[in-house]
Amino acid sequence: MTNHPNRSRAGSPARNPDPAEVRAAREAVQVRWGLGITAAQTWCAEQVHTTARAWQQWETEAESPSHRRMHPAFWELFRIKAARA
């Protein structure tokens, strides 16, 4: 949906994050709380009220058939909750 005004601005918080950003966010949680990969993915997924599997698919590279794009609302909610945790 490239013609949507919120997605055309590169710095806009209302955009789909790329898999590297999602992975980096999870890795930051891992380091901060000393969690393993699965526990960190589960914690991250719980923050946006979804499953660990969905979080894994958001981390998967875009070329992979199992890749899903994270909705901008989930990304914004996660960033807010992770900052408060």
Side-chain angles (χ1 to χ4, degrees), residues 9 17 25 28 33 39 55-56 58 62-63 65 82-83:
R9 290 179 260 153
W33 300 105
W55 190 273
Q56 292 166 355
W58 292 332
E63 296 78 30

Side-chain angles (χ1 to χ4, degrees), residues 19-76:
E21 289 176 293
V22 177
R23 195 174 313 108
R26 188 253 309 146
E27 289 169 351
V29 166
Q30 264 185 271
V31 170
R32 184 175 184 184
W33 300 105
L35 301 171
I37 293 173
T38 305
Q41 287 173 330
T42 301
W43 185 88
C44 292
E46 287 172 353
Q47 301 311 301
V48 294
H49 308 283
T50 189
T51 64
R53 181 65 186 135
W55 190 273
Q56 292 166 355
Q57 290 172 329
W58 292 332
E59 284 189 16
T60 305
E61 292 302 320
E63 296 78 30
S64 173
S66 65
H67 172 72
R68 288 174 44 186
R69 291 186 315 158
M70 180 188 271
H71 191 279
F74 286 135
W75 182 236
E76 188 171 351

